[in-house]
């Protein structure tokens, strides 16, 4: 069926986007250039300082970065590492990096394999790194060969490092030079986490062998979020976003803690919503609706990805919230509800202390809010905990887990 205006294109599809000029600028995987990065000058300097020796082919300092979600940890690590690589190239120094998401790859073997695969140039190393079939020890051997032959410096970024199943890989990577596993090259580790107390969980062996710098990324304030969003304004066609959109998005994203991920997600979702509704401009109303959607999505993602035990604890709190006029519950009460659930689900029963710790983690992740009687936010056995989302929504997400759904 030919139409007179179709200029040869399939009329079934749309070829212009009335809202976005380049939506990719708002995708979470997009790496903005240095001119679009705002408000992290100190942190960038500190990261640059740790990695600086790599430019001359020397060993960088290992570095741990902490901070809440959306504070730019992944972005700044990636961005500075790329700048290091570019600078090093001028002097023919070969720096390479592997970015590992430990949420996806958390075993020693898979990390060693991935780093080797990313860094390897088979024609230089004479080594292949097969996807499967080698033991951990053999993958290490290949990794050392690959690193020695293909790089002067290798930077290993371990994002969400608290998800590592076994920290032995940290010890081996950090000791590789000393132990003469590699001789012509060196390794720098950048570990990223939103758990500030993560180093406490490292084994003594690792703690003592891994000397490192540590750096905390604070949340953004509303003005910094406005700047960040303004630098991505060209994701939209001119005049499409109304004046109130960016300040409102920034204010909403700064409510819990200044989270750039949330700000960018809200802005993108607001644009998508306007498009879906065939509205010509993005307005305050789209932003408010987008905030709701962004929060529900994020919350689902957070709890869906949680370990079984954390889900059982959240489920206990959800049931309590549903069946009571109160909305805050002391650890003790949550613990006894939790014990009933684990009994029915045939899960191991954790100690009250461990349950308290998991509640604390969920507090940090903004799933729940924990307060100590009279003394503000706090740890300890006397804390009270409150669910930060509608129990209906939480239940819906939790019940997607097959074990918990048998509960109902
Ligand atoms: N200073 C900044 N300037 C411009 N964009 C930023 C800045 N900080 C963060 N962003 C953007 O916000 C989003 C989230 O940043 P990033 O992924 O680095 O956060 P994070 O601290 O690693 O969070 P998480 O702990 O959830 O992984 C990304 O899209 C990133 O491009
Ligand atoms: Mg990150």
């Amino acid at each position: 069926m030919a139409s007179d205006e179709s200029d040869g294109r399939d009329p079934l599809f749309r070829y212009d986007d009335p809202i976005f000029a380049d939506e990719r600028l708002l995708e979470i995987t997009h790496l903005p250039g240095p001119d679009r990065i705002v408000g992290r000058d100190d942190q960038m300097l500190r990261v640059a300082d740790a990695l600086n020796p790599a430019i001359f082919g020397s060993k960088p300092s290992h570095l741990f970065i902490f901070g809440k979600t959306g504070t730019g940890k992944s972005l700044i690590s990636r961005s500075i590492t790329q700048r290091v690589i570019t600078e090093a190239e001028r002097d023919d120094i070969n720096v390479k990096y592997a970015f590992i998401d430990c949420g996806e790859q958390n075993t020693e073997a898979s990390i060693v394999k991935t780093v080797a695969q990313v860094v390897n140039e088979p024609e230089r190393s004479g080594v292949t790194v097969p996807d499967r079939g080698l033991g951990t020890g053999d993958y290490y051997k290949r990794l050392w060969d690959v690193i020695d032959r293909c790089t002067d410096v290798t930077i290993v970024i371990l994002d969400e490092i608290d998800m590592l199943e076994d920290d032995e890989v940290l010890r081996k990577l950090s000791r590789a030079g000393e132990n003469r596993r590699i001789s012509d090259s060196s390794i720098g580790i950048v570990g990223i986490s939103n758990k500030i107390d993560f180093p406490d969980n490292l084994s003594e062996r690792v703690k003592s062998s891994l000397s490192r710098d540590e750096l905390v990324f604070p949340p953004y304030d509303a003005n910094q979020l406005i700047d960040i969003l303004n630098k991505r304004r060209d994701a939209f066609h001119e005049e499409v976003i109304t004046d109130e959109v960016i300040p409102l998005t920034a204010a909403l994203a700064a409510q819990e803690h200044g989270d750039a991920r949330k700000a960018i997600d809200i802005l993108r979702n607001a644009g998508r919503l306007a498009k879906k509704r065939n509205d010509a401009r993005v307005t305050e109303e789209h932003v408010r609706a987008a905030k709701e959607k962004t929060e529900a999505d994020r919350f689902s993602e957070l709890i869906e990805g949680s370990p079984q035990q954390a889900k059982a604890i959240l489920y206990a709190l959800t049931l309590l919230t549903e069946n009571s006029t109160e909305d805050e519950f002391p650890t003790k009460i949550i613990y006894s509800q939790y014990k009933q659930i684990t009994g029915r689900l045939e899960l191991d029963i954790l100690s009250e202390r461990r349950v308290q710790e998991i509640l604390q983690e969920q507090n940090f992740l903004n799933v729940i809010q924990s307060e100590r009687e009279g003394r503000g936010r706090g740890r300890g056995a006397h804390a009270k905990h409150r669910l930060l989302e509608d129990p209906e929504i939480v239940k819906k997400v939790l019940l997607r887990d097959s074990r918990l759904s048998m509960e109902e």
Side-chain angles (χ1 to χ4, degrees):
M1 192 174 54
S3 114
D4 354 0
E5 312 154 87
S6 77
D7 66 7
R9 309 200 82 158
D10 188 335
L12 185 62
F13 303 106
R14 272 164 93 152
Y15 295 96
D16 59 329
D17 185 322
I19 298 286
F20 292 108
D22 186 356
E23 191 179 338
R24 282 171 313 175
L25 293 176
L26 301 176
E27 298 289 349
I28 223 67
T29 47
H30 169 74
L31 184 66
D35 52 329
R36 291 181 194 258
I37 297 178
V38 187
R40 288 285 95 135
D41 292 354
D42 287 352
Q43 290 75 13
M44 296 206 300
L45 271 175
R46 296 277 305 273
V47 178
D49 206 34
L51 300 184
N52 208 137
I55 292 173
F56 317 110
S58 309
K59 193 187 144 329
S61 304
H62 304 308
L63 175 69
F64 277 7
I65 299 175
F66 303 103
K68 291 197 173 188
T69 184
T71 52
K73 303 180 297 296
S74 302
L75 164 64
I76 301 300
S77 318
R78 268 204 156 103
S79 171
I80 302 296
T81 305
Q82 291 203 337
R83 289 169 72 173
V84 166
I85 291 172
T86 309
E87 276 313 300
E89 259 167 15
R90 291 171 188 262
D91 296 327
D92 276 335
I93 303 288
N94 188 351
V95 180
K96 292 194 173 185
Y97 85 106
F99 189 98
I100 311 264
D101 181 348
C102 302
E104 278 162 23
Q105 305 200 341
N106 61 356
T107 66
E108 188 178 7
S110 73
I111 290 171
V112 175
K113 181 185 74 188
T114 307
V115 177
Q117 286 177 333
V118 171
V119 173
N120 194 21
E121 295 166 63
E123 60 291 352
R124 270 173 90 169
S125 66
V127 165
T128 56
V129 185
D131 246 336
R132 58 191 71 226
L134 294 187
T136 311
D138 290 322
Y139 277 121
Y140 271 116
K141 279 201 201 102
R142 301 215 179 175
L143 176 67
W144 307 140
D145 283 343
V146 162
I147 286 183
D148 255 347
R149 294 173 196 166
C150 303
T151 74
D152 296 306
V153 180
T154 302
I155 297 173
V156 180
I157 305 180
L158 297 170
D159 206 355
E160 322 255 347
I161 191 172
D162 46 280
M163 308 283 269
L164 269 188
E165 198 181 81
D166 180 346
D167 57 17
E168 183 60 16
V169 64
L170 294 177
R171 202 178 66 90
K172 292 231 177 67
L173 289 176
S174 66
R175 283 276 177 98
E178 252 166 80
N179 294 346
R180 302 192 186 281
R181 303 283 182 230
I182 50 176
S183 47
D184 301 330
S185 186
S186 55
I187 299 177
I189 302 171
V190 179
I192 303 176
S193 174
N194 46 32
K195 302 207 167 79
I196 197 133
D197 54 359
F198 157 72
D200 300 347
N201 301 331
L202 290 171
S203 64
E204 290 305 322
R205 274 154 68 88
V206 171
K207 257 189 240 170
S208 62
S209 73
L210 182 67
S211 66
R212 60 193 183 261
D213 296 346
E214 290 189 359
L215 185 55
V216 176
F217 281 37
Y220 296 106
D221 63 31
N223 286 327
Q224 289 172 320
L225 292 178
I226 290 178
D227 289 345
I228 289 172
L229 295 176
N230 267 327
K231 299 259 182 196
R232 313 243 184 145
R233 226 189 163 93
D234 50 342
F236 295 90
H237 288 300
E238 261 175 62
E239 318 263 313
V240 161
I241 47 178
T242 51
D243 289 345
E244 70 273 16
V245 164
I246 284 183
L248 177 64
T249 305
L252 294 174
Q255 264 173 1
E256 297 274 356
H257 70 266
D259 176 344
R261 175 193 304 277
K262 189 163 169 185
I264 291 172
D265 281 344
I266 294 177
L267 192 61
R268 189 186 60 247
N269 281 332
R272 285 190 182 164
L273 189 63
K275 190 159 114 182
K276 200 162 135 196
R277 294 186 185 162
N278 285 321
D279 295 334
R281 307 189 77 193
V282 183
T283 64
E284 184 174 334
E285 196 204 327
H286 298 122
V287 173
R288 293 195 187 278
K291 181 203 175 222
E292 295 297 312
K293 176 173 164 30
T294 306
E295 283 182 348
D297 288 353
R298 169 112 191 98
F299 203 80
S300 313
E301 236 174 71
L302 266 180
I303 42 188
E304 241 164 358
S306 300
Q308 195 84 42
Q309 288 284 1
K311 283 185 182 166
I313 295 166
L314 276 179
Y315 193 56
L317 179 57
T318 310
L319 291 181
L320 289 167
T321 311
E322 243 183 0
N323 298 316
S324 155
T325 51
E326 302 273 309
D327 66 351
E328 274 194 326
F329 302 89
T331 309
K332 251 192 178 28
I333 306 280
I334 300 174
Y335 188 62
S336 65
Q337 178 82 44
Y338 155 82
K339 277 198 293 194
Q340 289 178 25
I341 293 172
T342 48
R344 292 200 294 267
L345 294 181
E346 295 174 9
L347 273 178
D348 292 341
I349 301 184
L350 301 178
S351 68
E352 186 170 333
R353 194 189 150 83
R354 181 66 194 125
V355 168
Q356 170 66 37
E357 277 169 15
I358 293 177
L359 284 166
Q360 199 57 44
E361 279 166 29
Q362 302 295 326
N363 175 25
F364 198 80
L365 293 173
N366 283 318
V367 175
I368 63 173
Q369 192 174 357
S370 304
E371 313 236 334
R372 192 153 66 173
E373 291 275 85
R375 269 179 285 169
R377 273 172 174 249
R379 299 162 173 272
H382 299 294
K384 283 187 161 184
H385 312 274
R386 184 166 68 84
L387 206 56
L388 284 172
E389 182 68 65
D390 183 355
E392 273 297 304
I393 296 180
V394 182
K395 225 168 129 177
K396 221 160 82 192
V397 180
L398 286 174
L399 292 178
R400 278 187 217 144
D401 190 298
S402 59
R403 276 237 249 190
L404 286 168
S405 61
M406 292 181 336
E407 250 300 83
E408 281 263 297

